[in-house]
Amino acid sequence: MRKQIAAANWKMNLTYQQGEELLDAILKENIELKEHQQAVFAVPFPYLIMAQTRLGNKKNYAAAAQNCSDQPAGAYTGEVSAEMLRSINIRYCVLGHSERREYFSEHNQSLAAKTQRCLERGITPIFCCGEPLSIREVDAQESFVEAQLKESLFHFSPEDISKIVIAYEPIWAIGTGKTASAQQAQEMHACIRGLLKAKYGQVADSIPILYGGSVKAGNAVELFSCPDVDGGLVGGASLVAADFLTIMRALK
Ligand code: 13P
């Protein structure tokens, strides 16, 4: 079975102590994940070693970065490289979140470079795509997401592509409480898998495609039961232990 992933994206929330408490509360429940299931925690950079230390030896639990530099190394004040992440054993990195695209001018070309940097260091990119409301309103979401994938990812080899996780996050559903319906999510996930299949063939069947945008304890089962939804990238609800635990339990 394809990997199924519950990924927490803490964004710029929680103090270090609150982060410790949240992870401890989640780990205390000791949820035994199945072989194909994974819990991933994308935490702020200063918390990565703490998270890695807590999660590192727990099977199928992993810490993730929320971003990395598109440059390998050098005079880039304030940046964090994929090599640095790898040197503390980080195996996942969220890339191209819509908040980074909107507030930090990330674009498809720089995201292609960030993806490359991660792949070079054996870090799995969780590559985010998704349309704003104005695009959804004119029913152009498929071509919008297709351009994001083509411009950032479709020059990679099938072997590289097989190492990527995709997160479809419609921007109009992020932090708004307005979740895509299970049908809307499934339609877009099937479209994304279709694009991957047209370009890469069978490997598309093994690529996890996560849904993000107001995933909650109350809607995770319905969303994750869609055939092409392989888990979620979760913002707000990942900050509450009980909610994220319920979301983890909702994985197929
Ligand atoms: P919310 O779950 O808060 O809508 O955020 C989704 C998201 O952006 C995850 O990366």
Side-chain angles (χ1 to χ4, degrees):
M1 186 172 189
R2 241 188 332 259
K3 218 179 239 182
Q4 305 290 307
I5 303 171
N9 179 7
W10 288 3
K11 308 189 180 185
M12 197 174 74
N13 291 299
L14 308 176
T15 63
Y16 185 87
Q17 290 73 19
Q18 289 168 332
E20 285 183 307
E21 282 168 25
L22 177 55
L23 281 182
D24 287 345
I26 289 169
L27 288 171
K28 196 165 70 128
E29 286 298 306
N30 212 11
I31 297 186
E32 290 279 337
L33 295 171
K34 300 197 183 110
E35 198 58 41
H36 66 278
Q37 296 173 334
Q38 195 93 30
V40 174
F41 297 83
V43 305
F45 286 129
Y47 308 172
L48 276 170
I49 290 182
M50 175 277 284
Q52 178 67 10
T53 305
R54 279 175 160 71
L55 303 166
N57 52 13
K58 193 149 168 61
K59 197 164 171 281
N60 295 359
Y61 286 67
Q66 297 178 11
N67 180 32
C68 77
S69 173
D70 59 357
Q71 299 296 324
Y76 300 99
T77 302
E79 289 290 273
V80 172
S81 70
E83 185 178 19
M84 292 172 181
L85 296 174
R86 181 58 200 227
S87 71
I88 55 166
N89 262 325
I90 298 301
R91 300 302 172 95
Y92 285 93
C93 181
V94 176
L95 291 179
H97 192 282
S98 59
E99 288 148 16
R100 295 218 52 90
R101 291 176 189 259
E102 184 177 351
Y103 308 134
F104 303 97
S105 309
E106 295 198 359
H107 46 77
N108 294 340
Q109 285 70 31
S110 65
L111 291 169
K114 290 182 182 214
T115 304
Q116 172 80 36
R117 298 283 92 83
C118 283
L119 290 169
E120 283 164 2
R121 297 294 163 190
I123 296 170
T124 300
I126 301 177
F127 182 89
C128 302
C129 58
E131 80 286 354
L133 184 60
S134 57
I135 295 288
R136 172 64 64 163
E137 281 172 346
V138 295
D139 200 26
Q141 59 273 11
E142 295 196 355
S143 55
F144 185 91
V145 168
E146 181 176 3
Q148 289 180 320
L149 298 178
K150 277 194 169 154
E151 289 171 26
S152 293
L153 299 182
F154 278 15
H155 55 288
F156 287 110
S157 68
E159 198 196 332
D160 279 341
I161 277 293
S162 73
K163 296 174 185 150
I164 288 173
V165 171
I166 290 179
Y168 169 64
E169 299 206 312
I171 298 170
W172 46 272
I174 296 177
T176 57
K178 197 171 174 225
T179 320
S181 67
Q183 190 193 335
Q184 286 173 320
Q186 170 57 26
E187 273 171 15
M188 278 309 289
H189 283 229
C191 162
I192 290 167
R193 200 173 309 285
L195 293 167
L196 289 166
K197 208 166 244 177
K199 171 76 184 164
Y200 291 104
Q202 217 182 328
V203 78
D205 289 325
S206 66
I207 297 176
I209 306 176
L210 316 184
Y211 169 78
S214 298
V215 175
K216 305 284 175 212
N219 60 23
V221 168
E222 191 190 2
L223 286 163
F224 297 176
S225 64
C226 297
D228 286 293
V229 176
D230 305 311
L233 181 56
V234 186
S238 76
L239 302 175
V240 179
D243 289 356
F244 195 66
L245 285 160
T246 303
I247 291 166
M248 286 167 64
R249 290 191 176 100
L251 286 175
K252 284 198 279 278

Coordinates of all heavy atoms in Angstrom, one line a residue, residues 9 11 97-99 128 169 173-177 212-216 233-237, ligand 1:
N9 N 1.9 20.6 10.6 CA 2.6 21.8 10.2 C 2.3 22.9 11.3 O 1.3 23.5 11.3 CB 2.2 22.3 8.8 CG 2.9 23.6 8.4 OD1 3.9 24.0 9.1 ND2 2.5 24.2 7.3
K11 N 3.7 25.6 11.7 CA 3.9 27.0 11.2 C 4.7 27.8 12.3 O 5.6 27.2 12.9 CB 2.6 27.7 10.8 CG 1.8 26.8 9.9 CD 0.6 27.5 9.3 CE -0.2 26.5 8.4 NZ -1.3 27.1 7.7
H97 N 5.0 25.9 0.5 CA 3.7 26.2 1.2 C 3.2 27.5 0.6 O 3.9 28.4 0.4 CB 3.9 26.2 2.7 CG 2.6 26.2 3.4 ND1 1.8 27.3 3.5 CD2 1.9 25.2 4.0 CE1 0.7 27.0 4.2 NE2 0.7 25.7 4.5
S98 N 1.9 27.6 0.5 CA 1.3 28.8 -0.1 C 1.6 30.0 0.7 O 1.7 31.1 0.2 CB -0.2 28.7 -0.2 OG -0.8 28.4 1.1
E99 N 1.9 29.9 2.1 CA 2.2 31.1 2.9 C 3.6 31.5 2.5 O 3.9 32.7 2.4 CB 2.2 30.7 4.4 CG 0.7 30.6 4.8 CD 0.5 29.6 5.9 OE1 1.4 29.2 6.6 OE2 -0.7 29.2 6.1
C128 N 4.2 21.4 -1.8 CA 2.8 21.9 -1.7 C 2.4 22.6 -3.0 O 3.2 23.3 -3.6 CB 2.7 22.9 -0.5 SG 3.2 22.3 1.1
E169 N -3.0 21.7 -1.3 CA -3.6 22.6 -0.3 C -4.3 23.8 -1.0 O -3.7 24.8 -1.3 CB -2.5 23.2 0.7 CG -1.8 22.1 1.4 CD -1.2 22.7 2.7 OE1 -0.6 23.7 2.7 OE2 -1.5 22.0 3.8
A173 N -8.9 27.1 1.5 CA -9.3 26.2 2.7 C -8.3 26.3 3.8 O -8.6 25.6 4.8 CB -9.5 24.8 2.1
I174 N -7.3 27.0 3.7 CA -6.2 27.0 4.7 C -6.6 28.0 5.8 O -6.7 29.2 5.5 CB -4.8 27.4 4.1 CG1 -4.4 26.3 3.1 CG2 -3.8 27.6 5.2 CD1 -3.1 26.6 2.4
G175 N -6.7 27.5 7.0 CA -7.0 28.4 8.2 C -8.3 29.1 8.1 O -8.6 30.0 8.9
T176 N -9.2 28.7 7.2 CA -10.5 29.3 7.1 C -11.6 28.6 7.7 O -12.7 29.1 7.8 CB -10.8 29.5 5.6 OG1 -10.8 28.2 4.9 CG2 -9.8 30.4 4.9
G177 N -11.3 27.3 8.0 CA -12.4 26.4 8.5 C -13.3 25.9 7.4 O -14.2 25.2 7.5
G212 N -4.4 19.2 2.4 CA -4.2 20.2 3.4 C -5.2 21.3 3.3 O -5.5 21.7 2.2
G213 N -5.8 21.8 4.4 CA -6.7 22.9 4.4 C -7.9 22.6 5.3 O -8.8 21.9 4.9
S214 N -7.8 23.1 6.5 CA -8.8 22.8 7.5 C -9.1 21.4 7.8 O -10.3 21.0 7.9 CB -10.1 23.6 7.2 OG -9.8 25.0 7.2
V215 N -8.1 20.5 7.7 CA -8.3 19.1 8.2 C -8.5 19.2 9.7 O -7.7 19.8 10.4 CB -7.1 18.2 7.9 CG1 -7.3 16.8 8.5 CG2 -6.8 18.1 6.4
K216 N -9.5 18.5 10.2 CA -9.9 18.5 11.6 C -10.1 17.1 12.1 O -10.3 16.2 11.3 CB -11.1 19.4 11.8 CG -11.1 20.8 11.3 CD -10.3 21.7 12.2 CE -10.1 23.1 11.6 NZ -8.9 23.8 11.9
L233 N -1.9 17.3 5.5 CA -0.9 18.2 6.0 C -1.8 19.2 6.8 O -2.6 19.9 6.3 CB -0.2 19.0 4.9 CG 0.9 20.0 5.3 CD1 2.0 19.4 6.2 CD2 1.6 20.5 4.0
V234 N -1.5 19.2 8.1 CA -2.5 19.8 9.1 C -1.9 21.0 9.8 O -0.8 20.8 10.5 CB -2.9 18.7 10.1 CG1 -4.1 19.2 11.0 CG2 -3.3 17.4 9.4
G235 N -2.6 22.1 9.8 CA -2.1 23.3 10.5 C -2.7 23.4 11.9 O -2.3 22.7 12.8
G236 N -3.8 24.2 12.0 CA -4.4 24.5 13.3 C -4.6 23.2 14.2 O -4.3 23.3 15.4
A237 N -5.2 22.2 13.6 CA -5.6 21.0 14.4 C -4.3 20.2 14.9 O -4.5 19.4 15.8 CB -6.5 20.1 13.6
Ligands
13P1 P1 -5.0 24.6 8.5 O1 -5.1 23.1 8.8 O2 -4.9 25.4 9.7 O3 -6.1 25.0 7.6 O4 -3.6 24.8 7.7 C1 -3.4 23.9 6.6 C2 -2.0 24.1 6.2 O5 -1.6 25.1 5.7 C3 -1.1 23.0 6.5 O6 0.1 23.2 5.8

